[in-house]
Amino acid sequence: GCFSGAPRHYAALLCVGAALILLQTHLALRAEPSSLAHALCLYATTLWARVDAHSSVLLFGALKLKAAVVPWCFLAGFLPLTGVMAGLTNLCGIAAALMVEAAAGVPMRAAFK
């Protein structure tokens, strides 16, 4: 992947993502997330999906989709399991990835080789 051989960059991006998610939930939702797990997963998945947007993935062994839509499918799948407030926190994970993409540019793959 684009972070192979660059664990510090990956760890730094995860820390930036967690900070952005916490900031967004605090400012926009006026709440503290009960867990960052799903939001950070969506953050990392969105970064990957933006780098490899045109690749195809087999989701759950049944749906063949473009990588660009995978985070949105996960968001929709998590919503009934987690509830609205956690769903909004998960949406903050996607938004954080889009902010990082806007700031760092895509493809980021070249920056980590």
Side-chain angles (χ1 to χ4, degrees):
C2 62
F3 294 107
S4 118
R8 288 186 182 135
H9 289 116
Y10 184 69
L13 274 178
L14 285 179
C15 289
V16 166
L20 284 171
I21 293 165
L22 287 171
L23 183 66
Q24 290 176 69
T25 56
H26 179 71
L27 294 176
L29 304 178
R30 303 276 187 228
E32 297 300 322
S34 58
S35 171
L36 286 178
H38 284 165
L40 274 175
C41 286
L42 282 169
Y43 170 78
T45 303
T46 303
L47 287 179
W48 160 79
R50 302 297 286 180
V51 171
D52 290 329
H54 298 294
S55 64
S56 293
V57 247
L58 195 59
L59 193 63
F60 306 120
L63 299 170
K64 188 173 183 179
L65 304 168
K66 293 290 184 188
V69 300
V70 169
W72 302 103
C73 291
F74 284 165
L75 180 67
F78 288 159
L79 188 59
L81 300 173
T82 60
V84 174
M85 195 60 174
L88 291 172
T89 303
N90 293 340
L91 186 59
C92 289
I94 292 175
L98 296 176
M99 285 184 221
V100 167
E101 176 199 355
V106 166
M108 293 180 291
R109 177 178 292 158
F112 297 106
K113 288 196 175 182

